[in-house]
Amino acid sequence: MKSTRHEQHGRMLLLYASMLLALSTTVQAQNYTYTTNFPDTNTVTITGYVGPGGDIEIPGSIGGKTVVSIGPMAFYQEYALTSVSIPYTVTSIAAQAFAESYKITNMIIGAGVISIGNWAFSGCSGLTLIDIPSSVTSIGDRV
């Protein structure tokens, strides 16, 4: 039986959607979950933290791919974190990335960061030291 053009188009859309889903799959490595960015598949966005806490240094690369951003709510309510150092490879910190992580006392942000999203550090009541580099040109509301 011959398929119609409409059916072929539908199958192509399904295949395309499946390919995009495969590219954005969340992976876990080195205490972090992350997604590979599209179309630049040599970069990743950190989407979560699964480590023991304490003082952490976010890696500049994971699995041979450069860490360029910290996703929305990636470290939301991470009560075990006390100090965070963000590498120069990161260019953006998304909305609520560290929100409600009230035990963080120190935050060192690398010189590559250009933007910090809304509420990125909201509820971080223990934060007494934060180093925001001059590279930051955009700071969201209630950071």
Side-chain angles (χ1 to χ4, degrees):
M1 185 165 154
K2 198 171 187 180
S3 61
T4 67
R5 178 173 272 185
H6 182 69
E7 290 170 330
Q8 290 173 346
H9 181 69
R11 281 194 290 268
M12 286 177 58
L13 284 175
L14 183 59
L15 177 63
Y16 180 71
S18 298
M19 288 171 46
L20 283 178
L21 183 60
L23 288 173
S24 66
T25 301
T26 298
V27 180
Q28 180 179 330
Q30 302 175 5
N31 297 328
Y32 303 93
T33 56
Y34 64 94
T35 58
T36 300
N37 296 324
F38 184 80
D40 184 0
T41 58
N42 292 317
T43 64
V44 296
T45 296
I46 290 182
T47 58
Y49 178 73
V50 293
D55 298 346
I56 65 166
E57 289 185 26
I58 295 172
S61 67
I62 296 176
K65 298 177 182 196
T66 304
V67 176
V68 296
S69 58
I70 298 172
M73 301 178 79
F75 294 87
Y76 180 76
Q77 292 184 343
E78 286 295 338
Y79 303 131
L81 295 179
T82 54
S83 177
V84 178
S85 180
I86 300 172
Y88 72 93
T89 60
V90 172
T91 59
S92 66
I93 300 171
Q96 295 182 314
F98 294 92
E100 305 301 326
S101 297
Y102 62 84
K103 288 188 179 180
I104 295 174
T105 58
N106 301 313
M107 177 80 59
I108 306 300
I109 300 173
V113 173
I114 297 168
S115 65
I116 300 174
N118 296 334
W119 301 65
F121 308 112
S122 176
C124 293
S125 56
L127 195 56
T128 56
L129 172 73
I130 186 165
D131 183 8
I132 299 176
S134 61
S135 60
V136 175
T137 58
S138 173
I139 297 179
D141 292 334
R142 299 182 183 223
V143 169

